[in-house]
Amino acid sequence: MEKMDGKTMDIVAENVGKLKELFPEAFTEGKVDFEVLKEVLGTFVDDRDDRYSFTWNGKSKARMIAQTPSTGTLRPCKEESVDWNTTQNIFIEGDNLEVLKLLQKSYHKKVKMIYIDPPYNTGKDFVYKDNFKDNIKNYKEITGQMDGEGRNLSNNPETSGRYHTDWLNMIYPRLKLGRNLLSDDGVIFISIDDNELSNLRKLCDEIFGEENFVGNIIWKNVTDNNPTNVAVEHEYIVVYSKSKSDLKNVWKSKISEAKDILIKIGKDLASKYDDPEHLQEKYTVWFREHKSELWPLENYKFIDHDGVYSGERGVHNPGKEGYRYDIIHPVTHKPCKEPLMGYRFPKETMDKLIEDGRIIFGDDEDKLVEIKVYAKDYKQKLSSLFNLDGRTGANELKELFPETGKIFTNPKTIKLLSELISYATDSEDTVLDFFAGSGSLPHAVFSLNSEVSENRKFIAIQLDETTYEIKNGKEIGKKGTAGEAFKNGYKNIAEISRERIRRAGAKVKNEKSEYDGDLGFKVFKLDYTNIKPWEVDFDMTERTLEDFISNIKTDRREEDVLYEVLLKYGLDLTLPITEHTIAGQKVFDIGMGALIICLSDAISLEVVEGIAKLKDELNPEIMRVVFKDSGFKDDVVKTNAVQILKQAGIVDVRSL
C-alpha cells in the first residue's frame, strides 16, 4: 500500500516527464543528456555567448522557489464561510506563493481569467520576502503567527540598492505558478504603474511569450492637481494570454452603464408619448442635457417605440465590391447616393429592412443611407483607453462599510473589474485573484453574475497582513488605513476581504432577490501539512510515543486531512463530500465515488468490503481509496485490504 506524503506536486518532475515523452532519446538512466537534446533540437538551440536576455540578481533562485514543492496544506474554516455545502467560490488566507503551489494539481488549466493588483513597488508598499528554505515558516513569522510579535511589513526604498530586484524576485515565481492554472484560452490582467511597467512587460514576455501579449490598457483614474513636469493621471493594466491563438477573435461585452441608461429612458418616454415626432422631440431635449454622461454611446440621438438608436453604415460593403442597385428616397423619390463599394446585402434583404423601418434616410438623396442600431443590442469593445475615476473603488467600499472610516487604501473599483471579467469570460468560468486585497474581484463577480444572470466562480487569495504592531506588549494600530481597520476590529487584511465578500453577497441578495445564483464562499487557511513526518522540526523538540503511533497531528480535524488528500489527488476543493457509516466506522465519499477516505482507528475487513460495494453502487469512472496507515485493526487486515479492493476494480489504494 503506497504511502502519501505531505508534499505538493513536483513541478520539475512533471516537466521532465513531459520532456521525456517528447524526446525519449535525450534521456540516459533517467537523466537528461543535454548534448543529445541539443542535437535533437538542431537549429532551435542558441549557443551564442552574447544573446538577448532579461536577468537580475536572484532570478535563478526565484525560478527554483517556483519549482520547489510545498509542505503546506489548506485547512477548511466552515465557521467563517457562507453556504459551505453548496458554494463553488473559494477564499484562501495565506501567502500566495505557497497557496499557488498547493493549487497546481487541482486547478491546472481550469482558470479562465486571472486579475491581480500586486504591490506597485512605490517604496512604501509591502514586498514579500520569500524564504527559499521554508516559506511557510517565513509567512507565519511575517503575519505574527509564530512568535506572537506583530511585525512591520517590509518597505522597499529606492536607496536599498535592490529596489527592482526585490520586486522581480517576488513577482516572478508567482506569475510562473499562475500561468500553469490558466486554461489554454485563458488570460491575465495585471494592474501596474510606471515604477515597474517596463520590467513587468519583459517578465511577462518571458513567462507567457511575447507572441501572447494582448494589449496595454491605459486607465485614466485620477486628476493630478499638483503636477510637476508631467501630471501623472493614469495607471496601466497589462494583458497577456496563455495562448493567443486560442483566444476569441473579438472581445465584446454586454455590460455598459450608458446602455442601461438609454434603455431605461427609452422605455420611460415610449410609455408616455404615442406620437413619433413628439417622442423624438422629448428625447432630443433629454439627450442634449445628458450627452456628456453617455460615452461611448453619445451618438445614440434617435428614438422610436422600439427604443433609443443610432445610425451606422452597416449596410455598406467594406473593402470589396458589393451589391449595386437603387434605393429610392421616400421624400424626393430620387435614387440615394450609393456607398463607394456598394451595399452589403442583396436587394431583397434591403427591401425587407426598409419595410421594417430599419433604414435611416437623410433629408435628401445625397446622404448615404444607414441602418438603425438599437442601444439594447449594443456590445462594447474593450478599449485601450479607460476613463473611470479611481475614487469610485473607495466609494463602493464605503457603501458596504458605512460604520467605518477608510479601512483600505485605493481599492480597485468593481465597475472596472466587472467589465474586464465580462470581456474575457463566460458563465461558469473561474476567475482568480492572488493579490485579493479588500476583495474587489469577488465583489465584481457577484455584481456581474447578478446583472446578467450567470454564475462565474472565483478563487481569491490574500495574505493575512496585520493591521497592528506590538509596542510594550500591546497591539497598537498602524498608521493610515491599517490603523483605521484595526480600530474597527479587523486584525488583518484577510478579515477585511472576507467581510467585504459577505456584505457584497448580502447586498446583491437584498437588491436583486430574483437572482438565485451562488453568493457564498468557502474559506481555507494556509498551514503546515497535517502529516507529521514531512514537517521540519524547527524548534527541535523531542518526539513523543504518540508521534510514532499516528503520523497525523493530534490538533488536526478529520476535515483538515480530507482536504489535504483532495489537494494531493488534484481534486476540486468544492466537490461535495458525503459521509457513510460502514460497519460502525465513518467513510467519506468525495465527488460521488471519485475518492473514498477512511480515517478510522479500527478498520476491519467489513469496512474494506463495504467500501468495495460502494464501487458498484456509485459506479465512478475511477475510484481511489485512502486509509490512515495506523488505522487498521492488524497487519492481516491491512494486507488483505489491498487484495479485496483490487478484486473490486480499485487499484489506487494509499495510506496516510
Side-chain angles (χ1 to χ4, degrees):
M1 189 179 294
E2 185 181 342
K3 292 197 71 172
M4 297 187 74
D5 60 39
K7 289 188 177 180
T8 55
M9 181 178 78
D10 189 330
I11 295 175
V12 175
E14 291 280 327
N15 290 335
V16 169
K18 293 174 185 175
L19 188 64
K20 192 171 185 179
E21 286 181 19
L22 293 171
F23 308 110
E25 65 270 42
F27 283 78
T28 303
E29 296 181 339
K31 303 292 184 181
V32 180
D33 186 328
F34 281 102
E35 294 306 316
V36 174
L37 185 59
K38 285 181 180 180
E39 291 174 7
V40 173
L41 294 174
T43 58
F44 290 95
V45 175
D46 187 351
D47 277 331
R48 295 173 300 171
D49 291 331
D50 296 324
R51 67 172 73 90
Y52 176 81
S53 65
F54 176 51
T55 190
W56 63 90
N57 184 23
K59 182 178 181 180
S60 296
K61 184 177 177 181
R63 182 186 289 119
M64 200 173 297
I65 287 176
Q67 298 174 160
T68 305
S70 173
T71 55
T73 190
L74 300 178
R75 298 180 66 183
C77 190
K78 290 183 180 180
E79 63 274 14
E80 295 187 36
S81 305
V82 175
D83 299 333
W84 174 272
N85 292 324
T86 57
T87 186
Q88 300 290 299
N89 300 312
I90 296 172
F91 178 88
I92 304 171
E93 177 183 297
D95 176 7
N96 52 17
L97 177 63
E98 294 303 303
V99 173
L100 286 169
K101 291 180 184 180
L102 293 170
L103 299 181
Q104 290 297 299
K105 267 192 176 181
S106 295
Y107 294 94
H108 180 66
K109 289 191 174 185
K110 291 184 180 178
V111 174
K112 185 65 171 293
M113 170 185 160
I114 295 173
Y115 169 81
I116 56 171
D117 182 20
Y120 283 8
N121 206 17
T122 62
K124 298 178 182 178
D125 52 357
F126 173 56
V127 175
Y128 293 65
K129 296 290 186 182
D130 300 318
N131 183 326
F132 179 64
K133 293 182 179 178
D134 183 5
N135 210 51
I136 297 182
K137 178 175 181 284
N138 181 60
Y139 150 69
K140 286 179 172 287
E141 288 179 345
I142 287 173
T143 55
Q145 297 180 53
M146 185 163 283
D147 57 8
E149 294 182 7
R151 295 171 179 264
N152 284 318
L153 296 176
S154 175
N155 291 334
N156 188 33
E158 293 186 54
T159 54
S160 71
R162 293 174 58 88
Y163 180 61
H164 296 296
T165 294
D166 285 344
W167 188 85
L168 286 165
N169 285 331
M170 178 276 294
I171 199 71
Y172 181 64
R174 289 165 172 85
L175 288 178
K176 282 187 69 70
L177 291 166
R179 181 187 180 276
N180 295 339
L181 304 183
L182 279 177
S183 59
D184 289 337
D185 60 348
V187 64
I188 183 169
F189 295 85
I190 308 171
S191 282
I192 203 69
D193 69 3
D194 284 315
N195 286 291
E196 296 294 350
L197 174 65
S198 59
N199 284 330
L200 178 64
R201 282 291 309 274
K202 292 172 189 172
L203 201 62
C204 287
D205 281 346
E206 178 175 319
I207 294 172
F208 295 94
E210 58 185 310
E211 70 278 7
N212 292 316
F213 173 65
V214 178
N216 242 6
I217 298 171
I218 298 173
W219 174 23
K220 186 183 185 307
N221 61 346
V222 69
T223 298
D224 188 350
N225 293 318
N226 299 292
T228 52
N229 300 105
V230 177
V232 179
E233 300 183 336
H234 68 280
E235 295 178 11
Y236 305 94
I237 301 174
V238 178
V239 190
Y240 278 80
S241 62
K242 179 76 169 286
S243 172
K244 197 171 181 180
S245 61
D246 289 309
L247 285 185
K248 292 179 182 176
N249 292 330
V250 177
W251 277 347
K252 291 280 190 176
S253 172
K254 296 181 288 186
I255 306 303
S256 168
E257 190 172 340
K259 179 173 84 170
D260 294 339
I261 293 171
L262 291 178
I263 290 173
K264 184 177 185 304
I265 190 64
K267 287 180 179 178
D268 288 348
L269 293 178
S271 66
K272 295 177 182 177
Y273 305 102
D274 294 329
D275 179 64
E277 291 187 9
H278 199 189
L279 175 63
Q280 182 64 58
E281 287 174 7
K282 292 295 182 182
Y283 176 68
T284 299
V285 172
W286 180 92
F287 177 80
R288 288 171 178 167
E289 291 176 354
H290 296 85
K291 183 178 179 180
S292 61
E293 306 166 17
L294 299 176
W295 186 90
L297 303 182
E298 69 274 18
N299 292 323
Y300 280 66
K301 55 187 178 182
F302 304 110
I303 190 171
D304 61 23
H305 284 87
D306 288 327
V308 174
Y309 65 89
S310 178
E312 289 188 3
R313 295 184 175 182
V315 291
H316 305 179
N317 209 52
K320 60 180 181 179
E321 183 68 18
Y323 295 96
R324 297 285 183 182
Y325 46 80
D326 287 339
I327 295 178
I328 304 302
H329 193 277
V331 177
T332 67
H333 304 293
K334 295 179 181 179
C336 292
K337 182 179 178 181
E338 275 193 4
L340 180 64
M341 304 305 294
Y343 295 107
R344 173 177 289 182
F345 308 119
K347 190 173 188 308
E348 297 78 16
T349 304
M350 182 66 76
D351 288 343
K352 184 68 167 63
L353 290 171
I354 294 172
E355 182 184 340
D356 293 341
R358 292 294 308 277
I359 298 299
I360 303 172
F361 293 90
D363 292 336
D364 57 37
E365 70 277 3
D366 291 332
K367 188 178 186 305
L368 294 169
V369 299
E370 295 180 329
I371 189 169
K372 286 183 181 180
V373 179
Y374 287 95
K376 61 188 177 185
D377 298 322
Y378 174 77
K379 289 187 178 180
Q380 189 162 291
K381 67 181 181 181
L382 179 53
S383 173
S384 62
L385 299 173
F386 202 93
N387 192 350
L388 178 63
D389 191 337
R391 292 171 296 184
T392 305
N395 294 336
E396 291 163 348
L397 195 60
K398 182 63 180 175
E399 187 179 349
L400 286 180
F401 293 84
E403 76 282 5
T404 70
K406 187 178 181 182
I407 62 171
F408 197 87
T409 304
N410 299 324
K412 288 297 181 287
T413 168
I414 64 169
K415 289 184 179 180
L416 170 67
L417 300 185
S418 293
E419 284 209 20
L420 297 181
I421 296 168
S422 71
Y423 287 113
T425 69
D426 299 311
S427 183
E428 306 299 330
D429 282 339
T430 298
V431 298
L432 165 66
D433 182 355
F434 49 88
F435 288 95
S438 70
S440 294
L441 187 84
H443 187 172
V445 169
F446 286 164
S447 177
L448 175 61
N449 280 345
S450 64
E451 187 173 341
V452 295
S453 298
E454 294 178 342
N455 201 33
R456 293 164 183 81
K457 302 173 282 289
F458 68 77
I459 302 172
I461 305 168
Q462 176 55 40
L463 182 75
D464 42 329
E465 176 185 336
T466 60
T467 58
Y468 63 89
E469 298 171 347
I470 301 294
K471 292 184 179 179
N472 300 322
K474 293 183 179 180
E475 294 177 355
I476 306 295
K478 294 178 180 176
K479 294 180 180 178
T481 55
E484 192 66 33
F486 180 74
K487 290 177 188 175
N488 283 277
Y490 300 102
K491 289 198 170 186
N492 61 61
I493 302 301
E495 288 184 6
I496 299 173
S497 302
R498 286 194 297 273
E499 183 60 22
R500 178 181 188 167
I501 302 170
R502 286 189 201 99
R503 295 189 185 195
K507 183 175 186 288
V508 169
K509 192 175 292 186
N510 181 56
E511 294 179 352
K512 298 185 179 179
S513 56
E514 71 281 3
Y515 177 67
D516 60 355
D518 186 357
L519 295 171
F521 61 102
K522 285 188 172 184
V523 175
F524 293 88
K525 296 186 180 182
L526 176 67
D527 208 334
Y528 280 113
T529 176
N530 302 289
I531 305 170
K532 290 179 186 174
W534 290 103
E535 181 182 354
V536 181
D537 194 5
F538 291 104
D539 58 7
M540 303 302 290
T541 54
E542 294 184 8
R543 291 196 176 274
T544 64
L545 181 61
E546 176 65 27
D547 294 325
F548 296 97
I549 294 174
S550 173
N551 64 336
I552 305 298
K553 295 176 183 175
T554 55
D555 63 338
R556 301 300 171 91
R557 305 161 299 173
E558 286 180 325
E559 290 88 350
D560 296 329
V561 181
L562 288 180
Y563 281 96
E564 180 161 0
V565 175
L566 230 71
L567 287 168
K568 299 301 184 290
Y569 270 109
L571 298 177
D572 194 309
L573 290 171
T574 62
L575 282 175
I577 299 178
T578 305
E579 187 177 314
H580 301 275
T581 301
I582 300 176
Q585 305 301 326
K586 279 196 291 187
V587 174
F588 298 96
D589 164 18
I590 301 169
M592 296 297 291
L595 178 63
I596 302 295
I597 302 177
C598 181
L599 302 174
S600 170
D601 288 318
I603 301 170
S604 63
L605 287 178
E606 288 78 13
V607 175
V608 178
E609 289 166 351
I611 291 173
K613 290 178 182 177
L614 279 178
K615 176 73 163 56
D616 292 330
E617 292 176 21
L618 300 171
N619 195 29
E621 188 175 339
I622 298 174
M623 178 179 276
R624 292 157 284 199
V625 179
V626 176
F627 298 104
K628 189 164 71 171
D629 191 61
S630 60
F632 294 95
K633 278 189 173 181
D634 51 50
D635 289 340
V636 174
V637 174
K638 183 177 180 180
T639 302
N640 289 335
V642 177
Q643 297 306 316
I644 292 170
L645 295 174
K646 195 173 184 179
Q647 289 172 6
I650 305 169
V651 295
D652 190 342
V653 184
R654 305 190 191 190
S655 64
L656 289 168

